[in-house]
Amino acid sequence: MDSHGQYEQQVVWTVVGTDIGPLLLAATPEGLLNVVFHATDAVREKTLDRLAGRLGTEPVEAPDSPLLAEAIRQVKAYFAGERRDFELPLDWSLISGFNRQVLRELASGVPYGAVVGYGDLAGRVGQPGAAQAVGVAMGSNPLPVVVPCHRVVERDGGIGGFGGGLETKRKLLALEGVLPEPLF
């Protein structure tokens, strides 16, 4: 308990090297909390400050934490082509409402190697016509890769946007066999 009689949330983090660059993984006792692309020093600092502000506790760098061990193992296996599905407890506390509903549907309903349109995903959660809102939900996804927002594309076959950058989205879709591997 902290000095105000409230329980502080334990948050641990580490950075994992991947084929798309360094990913910051943060977890709580509830599960994986955050995955952040391009985890340079500046990005890490901004992310950790944001998490501290949202959760009321300083995240602790703990690459050997049991809270992170399985997430690290599964992320490495995914990028090695040895894992198609993540089977991790997730801490959804950074997102709520419609965005959480959409991301949960995405996580459970769009398998490895498949894609879904923004509008189609909106329809799946009972909000046909909310394609733009789905785009906002994808942009606010605190768990990219694990909750596969890279699998959401435009209706006309366009790749759509992506918080990690379009090249990262292309690499993830190529890893899953949706797009050909980049030539260079």
Side-chain angles (χ1 to χ4, degrees):
M1 251 191 257
D2 67 14
S3 61
H4 303 291
Q6 296 182 354
Y7 288 97
E8 286 190 11
Q9 174 77 311
Q10 178 187 13
V11 182
V12 294
W13 67 275
T14 194
V15 173
V16 176
T18 72
D19 293 347
I20 59 169
L23 293 180
L24 183 144
L25 305 179
T28 69
E30 297 296 314
L32 189 63
L33 173 75
N34 207 191
V35 176
V36 179
F37 293 113
H38 315 299
T40 61
D41 290 343
V43 169
R44 283 195 306 266
E45 186 175 318
K46 182 178 177 183
T47 298
L48 298 173
D49 287 346
R50 182 181 49 80
L51 288 173
R54 289 280 307 266
L55 302 172
T57 187
E58 286 294 322
V60 175
E61 185 174 13
D64 297 324
S65 170
L67 298 177
L68 290 166
E70 186 60 19
I72 292 167
R73 190 183 73 68
Q74 289 189 29
V75 164
K76 287 180 177 181
Y78 171 81
F79 283 102
E82 300 164 357
R83 173 171 280 280
R84 292 175 166 233
D85 301 307
F86 290 95
E87 297 170 6
L88 296 167
L90 302 177
D91 181 334
W92 292 95
S93 63
L94 295 178
I95 197 154
S96 61
F98 177 79
N99 292 354
R100 183 187 290 190
Q101 181 185 12
V102 169
L103 291 170
R104 283 182 179 264
E105 173 59 30
L106 174 64
S108 65
V110 183
Y112 183 97
V115 293
V116 65
Y118 293 93
D120 294 333
L121 191 53
R124 288 186 186 193
V125 296
Q127 298 290 325
Q132 285 185 315
V134 167
V136 171
M138 296 305 103
S140 65
N141 180 5
L143 295 160
V145 179
V146 175
V147 176
C149 52
H150 59 277
R151 296 178 189 157
V152 183
V153 298
E154 294 175 348
R155 176 183 63 211
D156 65 4
I159 196 169
F162 194 63
L166 293 182
E167 186 58 31
T168 299
K169 186 171 187 172
R170 284 187 194 97
K171 286 180 179 180
L172 290 167
L173 291 172
L175 173 70
E176 295 188 10
V178 175
L179 292 177
E181 291 288 338
L183 295 176
F184 42 85

